[in-house]
Amino acid sequence: MTGFDSKIKSKQVDSLFEAILQLKNIEECYRFFEDICTVKEIQSIAQRLEVAKLLTQNKTYNEIEKETGASTATISRISRSLNYGVDGYKIVLERLGYIEEDK
């Protein structure tokens, strides 16, 4: 995935992502993210990933809203990212085994 031209690219963001890539297990992730983010920020990010997973499983907005507590606006935004974004959700969901990799 070389040559990806991100809208958020900067030296600071590069440093953040390099730091995240140094984490070796879930406990280290908890420690780092609890220090760097608020509880609400972590919960929001986790909720978005869950919404993306459920969208790829063809759940309805109503089912997703009930299961995750996400607003329909949030679900819609994530749906747009899945369909028209830069495949970030797709990469992660494939590697976690929630969706099949494109061959």
Side-chain angles (χ1 to χ4, degrees):
M1 188 175 252
T2 57
F4 174 69
D5 188 25
S6 173
K7 294 179 263 186
I8 61 169
K9 184 150 181 64
S10 72
K11 286 183 181 183
Q12 285 183 332
V13 175
D14 282 354
S15 293
L16 171 64
F17 293 157
E18 286 294 332
I20 292 168
L21 289 170
Q22 299 309 306
L23 301 170
K24 294 185 175 20
N25 56 46
I26 288 177
E27 182 182 333
E28 288 184 1
C29 288
Y30 271 102
R31 290 171 178 260
F32 179 70
F33 281 95
E34 282 189 39
D35 279 350
I36 202 167
C37 296
T38 66
V39 171
K40 185 68 178 153
E41 288 168 334
I42 296 166
Q43 290 170 336
S44 293
I45 293 166
Q47 180 189 63
R48 290 177 194 153
L49 183 59
E50 183 66 15
V51 167
K53 181 180 88 171
L54 294 172
L55 283 168
T56 63
Q57 294 172 352
N58 297 316
K59 301 280 185 172
T60 67
Y61 278 32
N62 286 341
E63 290 171 318
I64 295 169
E65 188 177 20
K66 226 179 259 184
E67 191 169 329
T68 66
S71 69
T72 54
T74 295
I75 298 167
S76 178
R77 195 166 42 251
I78 294 164
S79 180
R80 274 194 309 279
S81 290
L82 283 169
N83 291 311
Y84 306 109
V86 295
D87 290 338
Y89 281 118
K90 182 179 170 199
I91 291 165
V92 169
L93 293 171
E94 283 176 351
R95 291 184 185 163
L96 290 171
Y98 294 120
I99 57 176
E100 289 188 30
E101 287 186 49
D102 286 339
K103 303 269 177 184

